[in-house]
Amino acid sequence: MGNFCESETRLLKRWSNFQLPNRFLKIGWAIIIGAFLLMIAKKFVDEPSWVKPLLRNIMILGFLMVSISREKIEDEFVASLRAISYRLAIVIGVLYALVQPYVTYAVELLLDPDGAKVDDGYFQVLLYILLVQILFFNVLKRSYK
């Protein structure tokens, strides 16, 4: 049993320190911008129904790449800023996830009482959490330089 726990602890430690190389920062931003531009372009053409969810998922992957890419200088201070930004993003993201569907419902109820429904889409929550994490990380990084 002791070996199993030690093995799991090592595996968790390795995964908790996982980061992509710094070059993925630019790749992630390119993916985000490309997916965003394609989402705008698809408004002007007929597309299959699977295109919108695919572009959303690609955009989420781009934000994830930006979020877990190493900085050029990744020291303990940057790691602590990253941890703070993830904590803040999770707390704010959970609060957003709890409130946002009901705000949307209230607005829809005012505009169209018959068509109002509570929607708990994962895309908005994931996008929001990743955006908040990236924002806080960059603000913290700049404020301590």
Side-chain angles (χ1 to χ4, degrees), residues 20-35 61-72 134:
L20 294 171
N22 181 260
R23 68 179 177 274
F24 281 90
L25 192 63
K26 289 180 183 173
I27 294 169
W29 282 115
I31 289 171
I32 293 164
I33 292 168
L61 286 174
F63 276 112
L64 184 61
M65 282 181 176
V66 169
S67 178
I68 63 174
S69 293
R70 294 178 70 79
E71 292 294 307
K72 287 184 180 179
I134 292 167

Side-chain angles (χ1 to χ4, degrees), residues 61-87:
L61 286 174
F63 276 112
L64 184 61
M65 282 181 176
V66 169
S67 178
I68 63 174
S69 293
R70 294 178 70 79
E71 292 294 307
K72 287 184 180 179
I73 300 172
E74 187 79 27
D75 56 9
E76 290 176 8
F77 182 68
V78 171
S80 72
L81 293 179
R82 192 178 300 278
I84 291 169
S85 68
Y86 279 121
R87 245 189 331 265

Side-chain angles (χ1 to χ4, degrees), residues 3-127:
N3 281 342
F4 178 75
C5 289
E6 290 170 12
S7 173
E8 290 297 311
T9 302
R10 279 194 304 272
L11 183 64
L12 283 173
K13 192 170 223 164
R14 187 174 344 137
W15 273 103
S16 69
N17 292 327
F18 175 77
Q19 287 184 294
L20 294 171
N22 181 260
R23 68 179 177 274
F24 281 90
L25 192 63
K26 289 180 183 173
I27 294 169
W29 282 115
I31 289 171
I32 293 164
I33 292 168
F36 181 74
L37 292 175
L38 286 171
M39 289 173 103
I40 291 172
K42 80 169 193 58
K43 295 283 186 186
F44 302 106
V45 296
D46 260 352
E47 86 285 340
S49 61
W50 56 266
V51 171
K52 184 177 181 179
L54 177 66
L55 289 174
R56 285 179 165 189
N57 289 341
I58 289 171
M59 184 181 276
I60 291 290
L61 286 174
F63 276 112
L64 184 61
M65 282 181 176
V66 169
S67 178
I68 63 174
S69 293
R70 294 178 70 79
E71 292 294 307
K72 287 184 180 179
I73 300 172
E74 187 79 27
D75 56 9
E76 290 176 8
F77 182 68
V78 171
S80 72
L81 293 179
R82 192 178 300 278
I84 291 169
S85 68
Y86 279 121
R87 245 189 331 265
L88 288 169
I90 292 297
V91 169
I92 291 171
V94 168
L95 293 174
Y96 173 79
L98 291 172
V99 172
Q100 184 271 334
Y102 300 103
V103 170
T104 302
Y105 174 75
V107 169
E108 287 179 1
L109 191 61
L110 288 173
L111 298 176
D112 182 18
D114 296 331
K117 65 183 182 331
V118 176
D119 181 26
D120 57 350
Y122 74 96
F123 172 76
Q124 291 176 345
V125 174
L126 289 175
L127 181 65

